[in-house]
Amino acid sequence: MAENRLLHPRLRRYAAETVQTLYKELKLPAEGYSKAEAEKSRLRWGGNQLEKQRPDTVGYRLRRAFLNPFATILAVLAVLSFVTDVLLASGGSRDWSTSVIMLVMLLLSGTVRFVQELRSKQVTDHLAKLLHTRVTVWRGSRWTELPSVELVVGDLVRLTAGDRVPADLRLTKAEELYVSQAVLAGESAVLQKQTEPLADHCLHGYAAYTNIAFMGSAVFGGTGEGVVLAVGKDTVYGGHSEAARDRKNGFDKGAHSIAWVLIRFMAVLVPVVFVACGISQGNWSAAFLFALSVAVGLTPEMLPMVVNACLAKGSAAMGRKQTVVKNINAMQGFGSMDVLCVDKTGTLTGETVQLEYYMDLLGNESRQVLEFAYLNSLYHTGVQNPLDGAILQCQEMPGHGEAFRTLPQRFLKLDELPFDYERKVATVLVKSGEAENLLIMKGGVESVCARCSQIEYKGRRSPFGADGLASVHAVVDEMQEDGMKVLAVAYKPMPEECLKPEEEQDCILLGYLAFFDAPKKTAAAAIRALQERRVGVRVLTGDQASVACSICRRLGIDTQYTMTGAELECLTPDELPIGIERTTVFSELSPRQKALVLHILQENGHSVGFLGDGMNDLPAMLQADVGISVDTAVEAVQESADVILLKKDLQVLSDGIEEGRKAFCNMAKYIRITSSSNFGNILSVVAASVFLPFLPMTSVQLLLLNLLYDTLCLVLPWDAVDAESCAKPLEWSGRTLGRFMRHFGPLSSLFDLFTFAFLYFVLCPAVCGGPFSSLTVAEQGYFVALFQTGWFLESLWTQVLILHLLRTRKIPFLQSRPSRPVMAVTTVGLFLFTALTFTPAGHWMGLTALPPIYFGFLIQVVLLYLLLVTWAKGRYNKRYRELL
């Protein structure tokens, strides 16, 4: 079977061997590993790090800064220039300038990105200190806590309720140990683990390995110890992790989509430029070099830096708002999220739950119901929940503390079946000191009643007849409609001293517990804020439908369409998409069903976030596009989340969505505006290369223009964003990028051609003393320098000013002002880069000083260009109802 192929051979072997054989054959010391022995094990069998999860080191970020497609193109250009201009050139005509400039650009581009990535690393490293998963390990004859990544094969690990299994373990001790392997198998059933060797070497399915605890499993109850047999990529979880990562790579998919749009444009334009330049100029090597520079010129070289800066700034802003962003790519997920799925308890309601009533079958106060419920909660070793905590608080009741403190002495625990989300009951077996032991069951009303054949009222037992359930609902429905959580309590005398699931039948219904779970004061306002941002809120809870609907109605959540877990199971595959799409409140769900709801919503085209904190939320957390947890969540859920809230409040999430959309808008500004502007420049080059006897701009000048403009764009992460731009979810993809480029790019080409005509037929002949063909070689060189400098400045000015025009749907500077950093940097940058043409550095790159008359022409061209783009922007908005 496929599952068995993921099992490491050590797991299959030692699952069938005794613990003594395991220790003997692996030569494990009784006192545990020393530090040196642990290091030897790590060298021999590997560390506890999943495959393809590279350590986030400075060296790794340095490689990533310089080893990317854009940097590779620049490096290839530098090498080709070195070959053609230095190695193949004669001694007097050798020119190092082009190669040197390209290498400087490469170093500058990589350095800027590296510095920015280091800043984002500092932010994430600082926040990640809160998130390290730690495990209890037997080392050097004592139990010590270590980060889970330091585990090695042969370590002895201790497990308790609420833990996530940190590696694949052969269990050596198990006391009422119950785990959920939902992360691996997708099933939410809770399995009991034991330590005895297995007889069959060819077991099928993970559930059959009862003495193995698999990495990623959730410990629901009891305690245990186990020897690590597989770590990192050798674990079953490591084999599954690639698929899990594929479900949560929305950012990478969007980035690849954008890259493919640019590649398609390059695939068309670069060959055209190469052929056109080669035919018109006759120099095919220069044409090839220029065509490659066109590829770089079309592509926003600073795209990784601007994107990382936007994401890092957004995550840092969230850090100041009590939110830890573990993965800065999750900021994009916040921006595109249009559905947020939340649990009810602790999110819509308060963290604390109060026990309001403990009653018999007719609603009268019953001390026996409270005592039995207290014993059940006290002896239940599964993951504790607020309801158990509220029940155990009854020992603080005035005048009753001593009685409850003596209950454990009168009723000793014998066995238990912990709560799971399939049975929806928790059962303990206690020794009562009487003739028979007592089975005490507590859980959901429907689940408990389904296991009862009798009722007891004032000591008298009667059959649980056909109308028994109707009588139960007559008592509990009104409380549930008022928003109370109601549990049922049942018991059964039995002689046995161990529990089996089949014995949870023919019980005696005793009474009910009612808890008050008030809505949070801030929840209603936060939900309204989410709805105003066009984020639909779906409630996914394990509570009864009546309780969930009562809370949701108070908070303004539409409860017209609701669905229970049982109703969900009855839907056919064709009915699932429609049924889940229209439903807003899901109740009585299992962990598997929560993940299923998210999966269907994603298949329906939604970007889905999930907020949860319990072990039952783990499958949904892994399924979500953005997994959100809280600092009080169980460790396994915290580790799986992309974002951790230090305050469990939907208002914080609303702020996070706004920050994510701001980051997205600023990324979109750079990508769309720069790509369309570059596209226009390349179209101009294609046209000029056909009609001009020289290149309108050298490859070095074209790359320099791109670099200067991109350097100015590094301030975009700090730009202001219009409120209208953040009003709805935003799509991170290249789906509409090509349309934007085709709409605005040719407009700049139109003015480029007008500038070409002015320079070639008016300005350059006037300054040089005649048309190009009548000039000497030296005069022609000056003619070309004037022409190239004129287009260089016109391109720079139009690119920078168009950034201000297209950054907003409104009228720039009047209705929407850029941030002060953006205004200052672009203004100073324009002045400095214009002044560059008057300096020796500009002359070195083939630029020259232009006469004053040109700048008068430049101002008129720029104004006309801005007016035309303003008209085109209005037309684009009207047609497509969007800009960025």
Side-chain angles (χ1 to χ4, degrees):
M1 291 180 66
E3 288 186 358
N4 282 10
R5 287 198 297 269
L6 293 176
L7 288 169
H8 195 279
R10 280 194 298 272
L11 296 175
R12 287 196 292 267
R13 169 172 170 72
Y14 290 110
E17 299 290 348
T18 64
V19 174
Q20 292 76 13
T21 302
L22 167 68
Y23 268 82
K24 180 179 179 181
E25 292 188 359
L26 293 183
K27 299 178 181 180
L28 304 180
E31 64 275 10
Y33 280 147
S34 65
K35 188 174 181 179
E37 289 169 331
E39 187 59 32
K40 288 181 180 179
S41 176
R42 181 177 291 105
L43 293 174
R44 181 179 180 184
W45 284 305
N48 198 26
Q49 184 126 10
L50 296 182
E51 190 174 18
K52 295 188 179 180
Q53 288 187 343
R54 304 185 184 188
D56 192 11
T57 62
V58 173
Y60 169 62
R61 288 184 179 260
L62 184 63
R63 291 194 302 273
R64 193 166 68 178
F66 287 95
L67 297 179
N68 58 73
F70 307 139
T72 302
I73 292 174
L74 213 58
V76 169
L77 284 173
V79 171
L80 290 175
S81 176
F82 177 75
V83 172
T84 57
D85 295 344
V86 179
L87 295 183
L88 300 181
S90 59
S93 61
R94 290 179 179 174
D95 183 8
W96 293 78
S97 60
T98 303
S99 300
V100 171
I101 291 173
M102 290 182 179
L103 288 176
V104 170
M105 291 171 64
L106 175 63
L107 291 173
L108 179 59
S109 176
T111 300
V112 172
R113 178 176 179 182
F114 177 61
V115 170
Q116 181 56 55
E117 291 230 334
L118 276 186
R119 289 176 179 172
S120 68
K121 182 180 186 303
Q122 289 170 358
V123 173
T124 53
D125 283 352
H126 173 70
L127 298 176
K129 292 178 181 179
L130 301 173
L131 307 174
H132 286 309
T133 300
R134 302 185 70 83
V135 294
T136 304
V137 187
W138 182 251
R139 290 270 184 98
S141 298
R142 65 187 183 93
W143 291 105
T144 183
E145 281 198 352
L146 295 175
S148 59
V149 294
E150 294 188 16
L151 284 180
V152 296
V153 172
D155 270 330
L156 181 64
V157 176
R158 175 177 287 173
L159 302 173
T160 57
D163 287 348
R164 177 181 176 180
V165 180
D168 286 352
L169 313 177
R170 168 61 164 93
L171 294 170
T172 59
K173 288 184 181 179
E175 297 181 6
E176 304 294 335
L177 183 64
Y178 292 85
V179 303
S180 168
Q181 298 174 172
V183 174
L184 302 178
E187 298 296 333
S188 57
V190 175
L191 308 173
Q192 185 172 15
K193 294 291 185 176
Q194 49 86 32
T195 62
E196 296 303 315
L198 304 178
D200 190 351
H201 287 261
C202 299
L203 298 171
H204 299 298
Y206 303 131
Y209 286 83
T210 56
N211 58 5
I212 300 292
F214 295 104
M215 182 181 189
S217 301
V219 181
F220 266 77
T223 60
E225 295 175 10
V227 174
V228 176
L229 291 183
V231 292
K233 61 183 178 61
D234 291 335
T235 63
V236 172
Y237 183 82
H240 281 289
S241 61
E242 184 65 33
R245 285 193 292 273
D246 288 344
R247 290 197 302 267
K248 302 183 74 173
N249 63 352
F251 180 85
D252 292 335
K253 288 180 179 178
H256 291 159
S257 173
I258 292 168
W260 274 110
V261 171
L262 299 176
I263 290 172
R264 285 194 291 269
F265 273 89
M266 282 190 287
V268 173
L269 289 175
V270 170
V272 171
V273 172
F274 171 64
V275 173
C277 291
I279 294 175
S280 62
Q281 308 302 323
N283 187 339
W284 289 96
S285 62
F288 178 70
L289 184 63
F290 190 75
L292 289 180
S293 69
V294 164
V296 179
L298 181 64
T299 307
E301 293 99 330
M302 300 294 183
L303 176 58
M305 287 179 286
V306 173
V307 168
N308 286 335
C310 289
L311 296 177
K313 180 182 178 295
S315 63
M318 289 304 298
R320 294 190 293 271
K321 296 180 180 179
Q322 296 183 299
T323 304
V324 177
V325 181
K326 293 171 57 181
N327 177 7
I328 65 173
N329 287 354
M331 292 305 302
Q332 174 272 328
F334 269 121
S336 61
M337 183 197 310
D338 63 339
V339 172
L340 175 64
C341 297
V342 300
D343 191 12
K344 177 183 71 66
T345 304
T347 304
L348 304 179
T349 61
E351 293 284 356
T352 58
V353 179
Q354 293 181 338
L355 176 63
E356 291 290 314
Y357 305 111
Y358 44 95
M359 64 199 89
D360 60 23
L361 297 180
L362 295 184
N364 304 306
E365 185 175 297
S366 171
R367 177 63 178 265
Q368 184 183 16
V369 169
L370 181 60
E371 288 183 349
F372 277 18
Y374 179 86
L375 288 170
N376 183 285
S377 295
L378 180 68
Y379 288 138
H380 177 239
T381 63
V383 179
Q384 295 298 303
N385 59 67
L387 301 181
D388 285 321
I391 294 171
L392 296 177
Q393 285 294 317
C394 68
Q395 62 182 315
E396 306 298 330
M397 295 168 54
H400 296 79
E402 185 60 31
F404 282 103
R405 280 190 287 272
T406 59
L407 271 180
Q409 300 172 11
R410 295 166 44 205
F411 296 91
L412 302 177
K413 177 182 176 181
L414 296 174
D415 201 0
E416 73 166 317
L417 292 174
F419 178 88
D420 69 57
Y421 293 90
E422 295 294 329
R423 293 164 42 250
K424 297 184 179 180
V425 296
T427 305
V428 299
L429 182 65
V430 297
K431 185 176 182 62
S432 65
E434 300 175 0
E436 291 185 303
N437 303 319
L438 288 180
L439 176 154
I440 303 175
M441 178 189 299
K442 176 179 95 273
V445 174
E446 298 279 354
S447 300
V448 171
C449 289
R451 292 169 169 80
C452 291
S453 60
Q454 299 182 75
I455 61 173
E456 181 175 310
Y457 177 68
K458 292 188 176 180
R460 298 181 58 184
R461 299 178 187 174
S462 305
F464 192 73
D467 61 343
L469 197 57
S471 301
V472 169
H473 282 292
V475 176
V476 304
D477 282 359
E478 185 175 353
M479 291 183 290
Q480 290 178 339
E481 289 171 1
D482 288 338
M484 290 188 178
K485 169 80 172 179
V486 181
L487 298 182
V489 178
Y491 79 103
K492 181 176 78 171
M494 55 181 290
E496 291 86 355
E497 294 191 354
C498 64
L499 274 176
K500 296 179 181 178
E502 56 266 23
E503 290 166 345
E504 293 181 320
Q505 301 295 330
D506 298 322
C507 295
I508 304 162
L509 183 63
L510 191 62
Y512 316 106
L513 305 167
F515 304 84
F516 185 63
D517 197 8
K520 282 186 175 181
K521 295 181 180 179
T522 60
I527 288 173
R528 285 196 299 272
L530 289 168
Q531 291 170 343
E532 289 171 358
R533 291 188 168 96
R534 301 186 190 179
V535 178
V537 177
R538 311 289 176 93
V539 178
L540 278 61
T541 181
D543 277 352
Q544 293 103 327
S546 55
V547 176
C549 289
S550 174
I551 296 295
C552 291
R553 280 193 294 268
R554 297 183 194 184
L555 297 175
I557 299 175
D558 183 15
T559 57
Q560 181 179 0
Y561 297 104
T562 64
M563 187 182 296
T564 65
E567 293 169 343
L568 179 64
E569 289 296 323
C570 294
L571 295 180
T572 66
D574 292 335
E575 294 171 333
L576 273 174
I578 299 174
I580 289 178
E581 182 67 32
R582 71 177 186 177
T583 302
T584 54
V585 181
F586 298 85
S587 57
E588 302 173 27
L589 295 182
S590 69
R592 178 185 59 82
Q593 290 172 328
K594 288 185 179 183
L596 174 64
V597 170
L598 266 69
H599 175 66
I600 297 299
L601 287 172
Q602 289 168 328
E603 287 195 337
N604 287 353
H606 294 288
S607 180
V608 185
F610 180 79
L611 171 61
D613 63 351
M615 196 63 69
N616 59 314
D617 296 324
L618 188 56
M621 187 76 65
L622 293 171
Q623 181 67 49
D625 294 299
V626 181
I628 309 161
S629 185
V630 292
D631 62 336
T632 56
V634 296
E635 216 165 33
V637 175
Q638 285 193 56
E639 186 173 288
S640 302
D642 300 303
V643 177
I644 294 182
L645 307 181
L646 302 183
K647 180 181 180 182
K648 193 173 185 180
D649 192 338
L650 286 178
Q651 189 60 52
V652 176
L653 277 183
S654 180
D655 294 340
I657 290 170
E658 183 177 6
E659 291 293 339
R661 290 180 183 176
K662 286 181 179 179
F664 175 90
C665 284
N666 286 331
M667 287 189 294
K669 289 175 188 176
Y670 174 76
I671 295 168
R672 294 189 173 222
I673 298 171
T674 304
S675 298
S676 63
S677 182
N678 291 348
F679 176 52
N681 285 344
I682 301 310
L683 289 180
S684 302
V685 169
V686 173
S689 62
V690 174
F691 298 104
L692 292 177
F694 52 84
L695 294 176
M697 197 181 299
T698 67
S699 58
V700 174
Q701 291 167 350
L702 188 61
L703 296 174
L704 177 63
L705 174 66
N706 224 25
L707 181 64
L708 295 179
Y709 169 73
D710 287 342
T711 303
L712 293 180
C713 288
L714 288 176
V715 77
L716 276 179
W718 289 267
D719 190 21
V721 177
D722 296 338
E724 293 82 355
S725 300
C726 298
K728 64 178 182 179
L730 302 166
E731 182 183 9
W732 171 244
S733 77
R735 187 175 60 87
T736 60
L737 175 59
R739 183 181 71 195
F740 189 94
M741 293 170 65
R742 291 190 300 270
H743 190 89
F744 291 102
L747 295 180
S748 65
S749 295
L750 180 64
F751 283 86
D752 286 340
L753 295 177
F754 182 56
T755 302
F756 290 168
F758 172 77
L759 291 171
Y760 190 80
F761 295 109
V762 179
L763 181 67
C764 294
V767 175
C768 296
F772 181 80
S773 58
S774 65
L775 302 178
T776 65
V777 174
E779 290 172 335
Q780 285 182 347
Y782 184 49
F783 189 104
V784 172
L786 284 172
F787 187 98
Q788 292 176 340
T789 305
W791 188 42
F792 178 89
L793 289 180
E794 186 262 349
S795 295
L796 179 64
W797 277 73
T798 53
Q799 276 191 305
V800 173
L801 292 177
I802 205 65
L803 180 65
H804 286 279
L805 193 64
L806 294 182
R807 58 168 291 277
T808 174
R809 298 176 66 177
K810 300 178 180 180
I811 300 175
F813 305 110
L814 297 178
Q815 295 178 330
S816 175
R817 297 181 179 179
S819 65
R820 290 183 178 179
V822 170
M823 194 67 192
V825 169
T826 53
T827 302
V828 174
L830 271 180
F831 174 78
L832 291 178
F833 296 156
T834 301
L836 177 68
T837 61
F838 296 90
T839 66
H843 298 161
W844 186 49
M845 289 178 284
L847 301 174
T848 188
L850 290 168
I853 189 175
Y854 170 79
F855 293 96
F857 166 80
L858 179 62
I859 292 174
Q860 296 179 57
V861 168
V862 168
L863 289 176
L864 287 173
Y865 178 56
L866 295 182
L867 287 174
L868 181 61
V869 172
T870 300
W871 171 82
K873 182 175 73 171
R875 185 169 173 267
Y876 189 91
N877 284 331
K878 185 176 181 180
R879 182 175 181 180
Y880 301 111
R881 299 183 183 277
E882 67 173 13
L883 184 63
L884 298 176

